[in-house]
């Protein structure tokens, strides 16, 4: 809850970006630094996913977890990426080629400004948020367990809800505790904010060369504004990170289907491993993405299926160490309660489960028009001749909806209803997946059969310093500065401190003489005993409501009497102060 | 025709975002930011009463136990609801690195509507929630 914690978290996320940049260099490299800036979001998620994979492997292998091991892991990944990049002949990037700069537009600048303001606004509620139910009960204990013990305590994991849930996110959270300097689950909410920035950057960066701005930016903003997404954007559940990883992976797969560039497939495979190490639904939705890709590439099955199969197997192989570990530890399985075939004993749940998921999927109040537009975009893209992409999106939508329904069908203890909001969390990932495909599908529909499938936006010819660029920069800059300026004008941000529980005395009201504060009761009791010893009878200890223990003498009628007591205490080497006694 | 559909889709997205939802998002963020900012330490950093029985008792427990402490939970046999199924997980998350154990040798204990006599004569109550939730230590 301090600036130091926020700075530590920012440093951790820069580190993640650096790790992902190393991995991206190994996978594809970049010709210019402007190209790298465009792909920063993808690099960030590659960093997240590769850290999930390697840190999980280290935890399973019993390698002590800590700031040093995380840093060395990151360095190792970067070095690995550099070596692979060198072997593959990636050349040192230039600053800019002039061909990878996109033509700025004023309308685009307005939407970019709006997206930036939205992200700025998301920071504030996350910073001082309380913790949700499963966050207290499952996610925070796991992260704290790793942070404090430097490993996975099998007994602790086994005792918590979702014992076989993978440790990718708790490991990241434990690394965040290290970076923040303490196990501060409140500030940890801002980790989700960094993930949100990474998600926006990844989607925009992947689609910018393919989708024209007037299609991409309004739809990206619409996705961000989905009420259920923004309500949960900074909570500490794993659903949103899972949705981000899956949706960027789905986007990479559809782009691979378009151009068969292998780095996209392997990057997607790594992100799918990350998703499978985030939550058990990661496995389910990863299968949906693979199935959708298989169906969409049926005609090219001889050339593409072996590559898809290899990438899928590699993605699964990276998750195996965790699965082997939890089975070896006899930790209860993450399989559905009814078992894989036992679901047929619960056929009565099939239709209600599907009905629930479909009704939530198309609920305007939760997701606005995104699912409806996704269906429409599939139809338009198909009619426009982008059949493989449309089939991929439609199959992904259908399988992930059926998959979401299966989670209800196969877990009889889950009440089929919207009551606890669980269904929103399950459906959120499929929605994000099909949501990010929406701009590409509409672009393909726009291009239709008549236009060759080329970059939708033409590179800038000539100088970037046109009036249009200048206006666009001003608009984005103004949007970026306006929100903090307006917010700060309403008052400086508050940082909780111990002083919140110290009230200055008020003339004519009762006061208490406070001998000091202890970080623990034993410390405070020692101070109280000293006060009692020298004659301050009635001195007591109690929690102060801000995380410390107060040593005090209360019910002092006036400030003057309080100050007399302070004077007496000073003569015996005690240094009390006078505070208001609110009589609570 | 298809291009008209594309324009319609994008147009609808613009109308929906511009009409209400963008400003709603900003207002919503401001609302939650103010609300979270107004939370006090206990509301923000200590698990809720429904899950742990008494925020005062669990905060007292955190302030009493050293970080290498082991504690156990003794519950009434007929304890029902969140105190029965959620309290152990919430306490684990809140009190780490202090370790929860089932061992009767644990020097610290929570009592959830239990009979304190079960904890023996050496059990000293250090915090009482007034609702059957107690925390204390077992003197050596």
């Amino acid at each position: 809850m301090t600036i130091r914690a926020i700075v530590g978290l920012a440093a951790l996320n820069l580190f993640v970006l650096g790790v992902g940049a190393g991995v991206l260099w190994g996978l594809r490299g970049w010709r210019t630094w402007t190209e790298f800036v465009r792909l920063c979001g993808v690099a960030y998620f590659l960093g997240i996913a590769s850290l999930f994979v390697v840190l999980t492997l280290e935890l399973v292998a019993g390698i002590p977890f800590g700031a040093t091991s995380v840093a060395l892991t990151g360095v190792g990944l970067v070095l690995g990426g550099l070596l692979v990049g060198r072997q593959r002949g990636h050349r040192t990037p230039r600053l800019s080629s002039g061909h990878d700069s996109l033509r700025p537009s004023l309308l685009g600048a307005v939407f970019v400004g709006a997206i930036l303001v939205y992200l700025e606004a998301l920071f504030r509620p996350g910073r001082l948020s309380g913790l949700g139910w499963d966050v207290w009960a499952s996610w925070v204990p796991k992260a704290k367990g790793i942070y404090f013990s430097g490993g996975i305590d099998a007994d602790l994991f086994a005792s918590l809800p979702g014992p076989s849930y993978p440790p990718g996110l708790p490991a990241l959270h434990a690394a965040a505790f290290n970076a923040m300097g303490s196990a501060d689950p409140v500030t940890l909410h801002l980790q989700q904010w960094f993930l949100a920035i990474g998600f926006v950057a990844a989607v925009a960066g992947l689609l910018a060369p393919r989708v024209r701005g007037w299609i991409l930016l309004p739809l990206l903003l619409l996705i961000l504004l989905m009420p259920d997404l923004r309500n949960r954007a900074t909570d500490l559940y794993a659903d949103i990170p899972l949705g981000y990883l899956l949706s960027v992976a789905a986007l990479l797969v559809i782009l691979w289907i378009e151009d068969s560039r292998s780095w996209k497939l392997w990057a997607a495979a790594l992100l799918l491993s990350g998703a499978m190490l985030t939550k058990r639904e990661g496995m389910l939705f990863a299968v949906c993405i693979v199935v959708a890709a298989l169906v969409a590439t049926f005609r090219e099955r001889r050339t593409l299926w072996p590559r898809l199969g290899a990438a899928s197997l590699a993605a699964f192989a990276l998750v195996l160490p965790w699965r082997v570990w939890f089975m070896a530890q006899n930790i209860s399985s993450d399989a559905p309660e009814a078992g894989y075939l036992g679901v047929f004993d619960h056929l009565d749940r099939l239709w209600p489960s599907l009905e629930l998921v479909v009704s939530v999927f198309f609920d305007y109040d939760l997701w606005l028009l995104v699912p409806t537009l996704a269906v429409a975009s599939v139809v338009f893209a198909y009619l426009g001749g982008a059949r493989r992409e449309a089939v991929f999106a439609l199959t992904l939508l259908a399988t992930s909806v059926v998959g979401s329904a299966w989670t209800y069908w196969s877990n009889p203890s889950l009440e089929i209803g919207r009551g606890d909001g669980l269904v929103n969390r399950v459906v959120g990932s499929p929605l994000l997946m099909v949501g990010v495909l929406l701009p590409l599908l509409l672009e393909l529909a726009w291009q239709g059969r008549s236009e060759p499938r080329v970059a939708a936006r033409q590179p800038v010819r000539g100088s970037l310093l046109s009036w249009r660029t200048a206006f666009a920069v001003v608009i984005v800059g103004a949007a970026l500065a306006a929100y903090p300026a307006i917010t700060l004008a309403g008052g400086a941000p508050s940082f909780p401190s111990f002083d919140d529980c110290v009230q200055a005395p008020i003339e004519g009201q009762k006061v208490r003489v406070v001998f000091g504060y202890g970080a623990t009761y034993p410390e405070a009791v020692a101070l109280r005993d000293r006060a009692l010893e020298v004659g301050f009878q009635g001195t007591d200890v109690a929690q102060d409501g801000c995380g410390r223990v107060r040593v005090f003498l209360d019910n002092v009628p006036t400030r003057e009497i309080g100050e007399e007591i302070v004077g007496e205490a000073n003569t015996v080497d005690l240094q009390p102060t006078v505070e208001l006694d609110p009589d609570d | 025709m298809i291009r008209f559909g594309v324009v319609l889709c994008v147009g609808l997205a613009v109308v929906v975002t511009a009409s209400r939802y963008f400003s709603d998002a900003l207002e919503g963020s401001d609302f939650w930011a103010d609300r979270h900012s107004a939370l006090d330490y206990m509301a923000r950093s200590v698990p809720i009463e429904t899950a742990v029985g008494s925020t005062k008792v669990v905060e007292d427990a955190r302030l009493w136990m050293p970080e290498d402490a082991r504690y156990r939970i003794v519950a009434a046999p007929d304890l029902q609801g969140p105190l029965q199924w959620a309290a152990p997980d919430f306490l684990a998350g809140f009190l780490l690195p202090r370790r929860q154990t089932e061992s009767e040798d644990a020097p610290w204990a929570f009592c959830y509507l239990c009979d304190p006599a079960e904890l023996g004569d050496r059990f000293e109550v250090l915090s009482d929630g007034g609702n059957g939730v107690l925390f204390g230590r077992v003197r050596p």
Side-chain angles (χ1 to χ4, degrees):
Chain A
M1 285 176 274
T2 60
I3 290 179
R4 188 249 175 268
I6 296 171
V7 170
L9 209 48
L12 174 73
N13 283 279
L14 280 175
F15 167 78
V16 171
L17 175 61
V19 172
V23 176
L24 184 68
W25 180 258
L27 283 173
R28 85 184 279 282
W30 48 87
R31 285 164 299 168
T32 65
W33 287 106
T34 44
E35 187 178 49
F36 171 69
V37 169
R38 178 173 69 75
L39 292 171
C40 262
V42 180
Y44 176 78
F45 275 104
L46 287 174
I48 292 279
S50 49
L51 283 171
F52 277 15
V53 169
V54 183
L55 292 178
T56 299
L57 187 63
E58 290 174 5
L59 286 167
V60 165
I63 295 170
F65 182 97
T68 311
S69 70
V70 173
L72 289 177
T73 301
V75 170
L77 284 164
V78 170
L79 288 177
L82 290 175
L83 275 175
V84 173
R86 188 177 169 176
Q87 279 214 324
R88 297 181 68 186
H90 297 158
R91 290 185 188 165
T92 311
R94 284 166 291 142
L95 188 61
S96 170
S97 69
H99 290 278
D100 48 16
S101 303
L102 299 171
R103 183 184 293 277
S105 80
L106 297 185
L107 185 69
V110 169
F111 277 99
V112 169
I115 289 168
L116 291 174
V117 168
Y118 168 82
L119 289 171
E120 285 176 333
L122 205 58
F123 179 89
R124 294 183 61 228
R127 189 172 68 86
L128 293 174
S129 175
L131 278 65
W133 188 275
D134 279 355
V135 176
W136 270 123
S138 179
W139 295 106
V140 161
K142 285 176 178 174
K144 277 187 170 182
I146 294 171
Y147 171 70
F148 284 116
S149 70
I152 297 181
D153 177 338
D155 292 337
L156 175 69
F157 268 57
S159 72
L160 298 169
S164 56
Y165 267 42
L169 195 62
L172 178 70
H173 288 169
F177 290 156
N178 275 305
M180 291 189 288
S182 68
D184 173 0
V186 174
T187 308
L188 188 61
H189 288 87
L190 291 181
Q191 179 54 45
Q192 310 294 85
W193 181 73
F194 285 106
L195 287 168
I197 293 174
F199 169 71
V200 171
V203 174
L206 284 172
L207 291 180
R210 286 290 292 114
V211 182
R212 58 203 78 217
W214 65 264
I215 293 178
L216 172 60
L217 294 168
L219 291 169
L220 183 54
L221 182 59
L222 180 72
I223 291 166
L224 295 175
L225 292 179
M226 291 190 299
D228 198 67
L229 175 67
R230 64 180 166 88
N231 284 346
R232 296 187 288 118
T234 57
D235 73 21
L236 280 177
Y237 289 75
D239 306 276
I240 298 294
L242 175 72
Y244 292 158
L245 283 162
L246 288 167
S247 53
V248 178
L251 200 48
L252 283 161
V253 170
I254 199 172
L255 291 170
W256 171 75
I257 289 172
E258 278 204 304
D259 64 14
S260 302
R261 291 189 63 191
S262 62
W263 79 268
K264 290 175 183 166
L265 182 62
W266 290 103
L270 187 52
L271 295 186
L272 290 181
S273 295
M276 287 187 269
L277 287 171
T278 303
K279 253 194 126 186
R280 64 175 176 172
E281 293 96 300
M283 184 85 72
L284 170 70
F285 295 128
V287 170
C288 295
I289 291 174
V290 172
V291 169
L294 288 171
V295 173
T297 55
F298 182 76
R299 288 190 174 178
E300 297 98 336
R301 59 188 177 281
R302 289 201 177 159
T303 53
L304 297 186
W305 280 17
R307 293 161 65 186
L308 193 56
S312 306
L313 281 176
F316 184 68
L318 294 176
V319 184
L320 272 178
W322 168 248
R323 302 193 68 77
V324 170
W325 184 86
F326 81 70
M327 285 193 285
Q329 298 288 329
N330 286 325
I331 289 178
S332 62
S333 159
D334 58 354
E337 288 164 15
Y340 292 102
L341 294 176
V343 287
F344 295 105
D345 297 335
H346 301 277
L347 281 172
D348 55 316
R349 292 176 62 86
L350 171 58
W351 179 248
S353 299
L354 195 60
E355 200 175 25
L356 172 70
V357 166
V358 171
S359 70
V360 169
F361 195 88
F362 286 97
D363 188 330
Y364 181 88
D365 291 336
L366 296 175
W367 319 108
L368 305 177
L369 285 172
V370 171
T372 314
L373 294 183
V375 173
S377 71
V378 167
V379 174
F380 292 139
Y382 190 87
L383 293 175
R387 298 208 166 148
R388 289 184 312 174
E389 294 86 347
V391 167
F392 174 79
L394 185 65
T395 313
L396 180 59
L397 194 155
T399 52
S400 56
V401 165
V402 171
S404 301
W406 178 72
T407 62
Y408 273 82
W409 177 25
S410 60
N411 288 292
S413 71
L414 288 181
E415 190 187 330
I416 297 179
R418 294 177 173 221
D420 52 7
L422 180 62
V423 64
N424 308 12
R425 287 165 49 195
V426 175
V427 166
S429 291
L431 251 153
L432 270 181
M433 285 195 287
V434 296
V436 298
L437 304 183
L438 177 51
L440 181 66
L441 293 171
L442 288 181
E443 173 65 39
L444 292 170
W446 181 266
Q447 288 178 5
R449 290 191 178 88
S450 55
E451 287 188 34
R453 300 276 166 75
V454 293
R457 299 177 65 172
Q458 296 304 309
V460 175
R461 306 283 177 210
S463 172
L464 268 174
L465 297 173
S466 65
W467 65 269
R468 193 209 297 259
T469 310
F471 267 120
V473 169
V474 168
I475 290 170
V476 172
L480 203 55
Y483 186 82
I486 292 167
T487 308
L488 288 172
S494 65
F495 288 89
S497 82
F498 293 132
D499 289 343
D500 296 344
C501 292
V502 176
Q503 291 177 270
I506 296 174
E507 214 55 60
Q509 293 195 25
K510 277 195 292 187
V511 298
R512 59 185 166 208
V513 174
V514 178
F515 289 92
Y517 290 87
T520 64
Y521 269 110
E523 260 181 44
V525 166
L527 180 59
R528 179 200 64 187
D529 291 349
R530 243 188 92 209
L532 288 172
E533 235 173 62
V534 293
F536 293 102
Q537 296 307 310
T539 304
D540 205 352
V541 293
Q543 54 179 259
D544 71 342
C546 285
R548 294 184 302 181
V549 185
R550 181 185 286 125
V551 185
F552 63 97
L553 188 61
D554 68 355
N555 279 323
V556 178
T558 65
R559 181 179 181 161
E560 288 69 30
I561 297 173
E563 278 164 1
E564 278 173 30
I565 297 172
V566 168
E568 280 175 46
N570 289 342
T571 63
V572 288
D573 217 17
L574 289 169
Q575 309 294 328
T577 54
V578 178
E579 294 179 13
L580 181 72
D581 182 356
D583 234 2
D584 47 6
Chain B
M1 183 62 189
I2 293 173
R3 286 193 164 188
F4 174 73
V6 173
V7 171
L8 187 65
C9 286
V10 176
L12 282 170
V14 172
V15 168
V16 166
T17 53
S19 65
R20 180 181 137 195
Y21 286 95
F22 184 69
S23 58
D24 262 12
L26 298 192
E27 284 167 18
S29 285
D30 284 349
F31 170 80
W32 285 109
D34 291 344
R35 191 159 164 167
H36 292 160
S37 181
L39 293 174
D40 61 14
Y41 165 83
M42 295 296 277
R44 187 184 291 123
S45 301
V46 181
I48 55 171
E49 200 108 352
T50 316
V52 295
S54 166
T55 52
K56 174 188 166 293
V57 169
V58 297
E59 171 68 351
D60 274 342
R62 184 186 71 81
L63 291 164
W64 268 112
M65 288 188 282
E67 294 202 339
D68 60 353
R70 290 179 307 121
Y71 65 93
R72 69 175 173 133
I73 299 169
V74 181
D78 57 348
L79 188 68
Q80 297 285 318
L83 293 187
Q84 183 255 325
W85 50 263
D89 305 330
F90 277 70
L91 290 179
F94 179 61
L95 294 172
L96 269 165
R98 302 156 190 90
R99 306 311 296 246
Q100 205 174 98
T101 174
E102 289 176 10
S103 166
E104 292 186 9
D105 296 338
W108 307 87
F110 287 90
C111 165
Y112 279 98
L113 303 174
C114 74
D115 176 4
E118 264 184 74
L119 290 155
D121 303 339
R122 291 178 294 125
F123 180 67
E124 176 193 9
V125 175
L126 296 171
S127 184
D128 184 346
N131 56 354
V133 180
L134 306 173
F135 168 76
R137 70 180 150 200
V138 183
R139 289 195 172 280

